[in-house]
Structures are given as structure tokens and as C-alpha cells.
Amino acid sequence: MPRTLDGQITMEKTPSYFVTREAPARISAMSKDTKLLVVVRDPVTRAVSDYTQTLSKRPDIPSFESLAFRNRSAGLVDRSWSAIQIGLYAEHLERWLRHFPARQMLFVSGERLVRDPAGELGRVQDFLGLKRIISDKHFYFNQTKGFPCLKKAEGSGRPHCLGKTKGRPHPEIDAQVLRQLRDFYRPFNRKFYQMTGHDFGWDG
């Protein structure tokens, strides 16, 4: 990490940190005062999105259903598949709480980030001790992408939207499969809500 002067904040983003076993101890050894932002979304939607991403690179992969279950008729979900494993947020958080107090972590709702980007980023700015600069006027909703976009990218007069890999249409997944996955994740979600003190509303 670059040296940070007083009054500066150094930020770094890597999606795999939250689920990598060694990351909490290593980051704590580097700086115990690090503030951690974790963006989470409904683990079922997240798993389908993960699969969609892989499918775009490898169209010959097995169906979502066959990867998600060890035994579909018995409702046995395959926890070893990374698309499922990543959504077990409570288990990952337990490891982080061994190295960092909860007050140094902010859990950002992926759903709210799409619905109300300025509101959710307001929470982020407060958590980081920054003046609230980002507001509604910085965003517009892109119907094609299904995501909010920045009206102007820094140093450019053009809007900035997420790249081609974001906002892809998801494949059609059997409703019963989604129901079984919701049932599987429910106890993990509820534990995560208790641990964070925030109900993300994924169990509807």
C-alpha cells in the first residue's frame, strides 16, 4: 500500500478478500486500524450472477441446477461450489471478527446501492469520516444496464457506467431451484443479520 499522509485515505478493492481464509490475519498484521467495506447482495441472486459470468466465458459448463446441488431431489445443496460458498456471509464474517472489531466494518447493501446509490454512499462517506460530497445529482439510472451510472467520470465530460461484464441478463432458473436455495441460505442470512445488526431483507 502507498504511504498515506494525514488527511488522506488509501483505498483498495478486491472482491475475494472477504472469502479468503488468510486475508483477515494478513490485513490486521498490516494495519489493525483498517476500515473494511463489504458489499453484499442476496446470496441466491449473487450465485446466479456468478454462474452467468462464468457462462459468458465458458458456454459449455453444466447447468446451474446440476452445479448447485449434490442431490437435487433430496435438496442437498453443494456448498463446495464457489458460487454457493461465497454467499455464506455469516461464516466468512466469523473469521474477520477474530481480527477486527465490528465497528471497523461497514456492510453495504448491493440492492440499495442500485436503488439509492447516493443514500448508500452517504453511509460510506460517514463511516470513512468524509464530508458528504456524493449526492443524487451525480447519478442517473441507465435502463439498458439496469444500474445507476455516474453522470460524469472524473476528468471526463462523459458519463461512466459499469462495463460489459455487468448487467448481463441472467439465464432462466427453475423457480423450485431458487426456492430450495432460499431455504438453504435462510439460517445463514438470519445469523448474518444478527451479527451485523442489519436485516438485508433477502428472505422474502
Side-chain angles (χ1 to χ4, degrees):
M1 298 294 265
R3 290 192 178 279
T4 305
L5 303 173
D6 285 345
Q8 286 185 323
I9 292 180
T10 300
M11 296 185 80
E12 207 276 337
K13 164 186 83 81
T14 298
S16 58
Y17 283 157
F18 188 56
V19 299
T20 302
R21 286 185 175 276
E22 302 80 10
R26 288 177 180 172
I27 293 172
S28 172
M30 181 196 73
S31 169
K32 285 193 181 320
D33 300 327
T34 297
K35 287 186 173 183
L36 303 157
L37 293 165
V38 187
V39 182
V40 288
R41 67 190 292 204
D42 179 333
V44 176
T45 314
R46 205 217 66 79
V48 176
S49 179
D50 195 314
Y51 176 78
T52 306
Q53 185 92 325
T54 309
L55 190 63
S56 72
K57 296 174 195 146
R58 295 177 28 224
D60 56 334
I61 59 167
S63 70
F64 178 84
E65 291 84 344
S66 63
L67 291 167
F69 293 92
R70 276 185 315 180
N71 182 328
R72 167 89 199 277
S73 54
L76 276 178
V77 172
D78 188 352
R79 289 180 48 140
S80 69
W81 184 32
S82 67
I84 297 294
Q85 176 65 36
I86 290 169
L88 301 171
Y89 303 135
E91 292 191 354
H92 306 307
L93 180 54
E94 272 174 347
R95 282 198 299 275
W96 284 90
L97 289 173
R98 288 183 210 129
H99 298 275
F100 289 94
R103 68 175 181 277
Q104 279 173 232
M105 305 174 110
L106 181 71
F107 292 88
V108 177
S109 161
E111 287 82 13
R112 275 198 57 198
L113 207 48
V114 171
R115 244 186 0 257
D116 176 22
E120 205 62 357
L121 286 171
R123 291 178 63 235
V124 169
Q125 291 169 101
D126 293 348
F127 173 69
L128 296 175
L130 297 170
K131 199 167 96 183
R132 281 201 180 201
I133 292 172
I134 301 166
S135 68
D136 283 330
K137 68 173 190 224
H138 292 96
F139 298 96
Y140 75 95
F141 192 80
N142 183 306
Q143 295 292 348
T144 314
K145 279 270 178 210
F147 283 109
C149 298
L150 278 172
K151 283 188 178 158
K152 269 197 321 196
E154 200 175 328
S156 158
R158 294 209 330 245
H160 176 71
C161 287
L162 293 168
K164 287 193 188 76
T165 62
K166 304 292 179 191
R168 282 197 187 101
H170 288 177
E172 196 70 41
I173 309 287
D174 184 282
Q176 176 63 16
V177 166
L178 298 177
R179 256 195 308 278
Q180 283 174 291
L181 283 180
R182 293 213 176 280
D183 291 344
F184 165 76
Y185 276 119
R186 192 167 290 111
F188 297 101
N189 289 346
R190 295 206 169 143
K191 188 175 180 190
F192 183 64
Y193 299 165
Q194 279 181 320
M195 293 168 86
T196 59
H198 184 78
D199 182 338
F200 288 87
W202 298 323
D203 302 308

